[in-house]
């Protein structure tokens, strides 16, 4: 017998002693996976799971039925509002006057990007950009004071929501242009480029601040 054939026979004997018959080899593939990544069997390369690959077993209790018609809560911005500047004050005043805190955050973001000392070219001041007349109307003495500013801004939003029968778009338009401008144009968003862009921006921020289910519900109301 040639040396080449002797080597082949020796290897075959060793492999057989390790794994037994071809049927045994298939049955023991799980054990081989801890030893080999790829083996040669009957002239073919067979890929086996690697040593680090784990088998995942599912129990019946692990399989959750899909709930049709119920949208899952989406984590994201809505869950992080509490980490935003002045969130405690926003929550307090929103609850006091019955306004969505998500709406208050949307207005603050659109108006000042949370800068309590922001001043517009026309004289609006603070987080919610109160005009001097609006500040006086709602009892705000210092518009640069975050607590006073938010209190006055949320009170104004509550007034506008009541005035326009909870029509969010008209209330937001009134916040930007004044309620008289909305009335003047037939209780519609005034045809001012700035106001229309402002309404679009605030509503976009509002939808982002709400979770998916709330946002879908809001869309059905506006």
């Amino acid at each position: 017998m040639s040396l080449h054939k002797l080597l082949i026979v020796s290897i075959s004997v060793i492999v057989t002693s390790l794994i037994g018959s071809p049927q045994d080899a298939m049955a023991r593939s799980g054990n081989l996976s801890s030893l080999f990544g790829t083996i040669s069997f009957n002239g073919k390369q067979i890929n086996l799971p690697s040593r680090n690959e784990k088998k995942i077993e599912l129990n019946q209790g692990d399989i959750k039925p899909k709930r049709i018609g119920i949208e899952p809560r989406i984590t994201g911005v809505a869950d992080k509002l509490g980490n935003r500047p002045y969130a405690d004050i926003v929550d307090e005043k929103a609850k006091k006057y019955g306004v969505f805190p998500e709406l208050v955050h949307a207005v603050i973001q659109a108006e000042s990007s949370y800068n309590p000392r922001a001043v517009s070219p026309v004289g609006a001041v603070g987080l919610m950009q109160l005009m001097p007349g609006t500040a006086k109307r709602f009892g705000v003495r210092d518009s640069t004071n975050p607590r006073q500013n938010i209190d006055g801004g949320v009170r104004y939003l509550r007034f506008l929501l009541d005035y326009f029968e909870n029509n969010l778009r008209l209330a937001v338009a009134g916040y930007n242009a004044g309620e008289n401008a909305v009335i003047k144009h037939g209780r519609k968003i005034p045809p001012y480029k700035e106001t229309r862009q402002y309404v679009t921006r605030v509503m976009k921020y509002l939808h982002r601040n709400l979770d998916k289910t709330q946002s879908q519900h809001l869309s059905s109301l506006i």
Side-chain angles (χ1 to χ4, degrees):
M1 182 180 294
S2 67
L3 179 61
H4 178 71
K5 290 183 179 180
L6 180 60
L7 286 173
I8 293 176
V9 170
S10 298
I11 292 172
S12 298
V13 170
I14 293 171
V15 171
T16 302
S17 65
L18 286 173
I19 64 175
S21 64
Q23 291 78 9
D24 293 334
M26 297 301 294
R28 297 182 186 181
S29 60
N31 295 328
L32 284 174
S33 66
S34 62
L35 299 174
F36 304 98
T38 302
I39 64 170
S40 179
F41 187 75
N42 286 344
K44 296 182 180 180
Q45 295 293 319
I46 302 175
N47 293 320
L48 296 176
S50 66
R51 179 189 299 265
N52 297 326
E53 199 169 329
K54 296 182 179 179
K55 181 179 179 181
I56 300 175
E57 295 182 357
L58 288 178
N59 297 321
Q60 186 66 31
D62 295 327
I63 303 174
K64 306 296 184 182
K66 185 176 180 180
R67 295 188 297 170
I68 300 174
I70 301 178
E71 291 290 345
R73 178 177 174 83
I74 294 181
T75 58
V77 177
D79 295 322
K80 297 178 181 178
L81 289 180
N83 296 327
R84 292 193 183 183
Y86 313 107
D88 291 344
I89 301 176
V90 170
D91 287 344
E92 175 189 334
K93 301 303 180 180
K95 183 177 180 180
K96 180 179 179 179
Y97 297 113
V99 178
F100 286 125
E102 293 87 353
L103 175 60
V104 179
H105 278 290
V107 170
I108 291 175
Q109 187 173 359
E111 290 285 357
S112 68
S113 294
Y114 294 90
N115 180 2
R117 298 192 175 276
V119 179
S120 77
V122 297
V125 180
L127 289 166
M128 300 191 74
Q129 290 288 278
L130 302 179
M131 293 294 291
T134 303
K136 183 177 180 180
R137 178 181 175 187
F138 291 99
V140 178
R141 295 183 179 181
D142 181 5
S143 290
T144 63
N145 180 292
R147 179 171 292 277
Q148 291 188 38
N149 188 284
I150 293 172
D151 186 272
V154 177
R155 284 184 67 186
Y156 189 28
L157 280 174
R158 179 70 268 168
F159 167 82
L160 292 167
L161 287 166
D162 291 339
Y163 195 75
F164 294 113
E165 300 177 338
N166 286 321
N167 186 309
L168 278 172
R169 290 185 180 276
L170 294 185
V172 171
Y175 195 94
N176 176 261
E179 63 269 25
N180 291 332
V182 177
I183 296 298
K184 177 182 176 180
H185 291 90
R187 297 179 74 87
K188 296 180 180 179
I189 297 175
Y192 312 145
K193 181 178 179 180
E194 177 191 342
T195 300
R196 294 193 169 185
Q197 290 177 342
Y198 177 81
V199 172
T200 298
R201 188 163 64 253
V202 170
M203 298 309 295
K204 179 181 71 174
Y205 292 153
L206 175 58
H207 278 285
R208 286 180 180 176
N209 291 346
L210 295 167
D211 65 34
K212 187 174 181 181
T213 301
Q214 289 173 318
S215 185
Q216 288 177 337
H217 179 66
L218 176 65
S219 296
S220 68
L221 299 176
I222 60 177

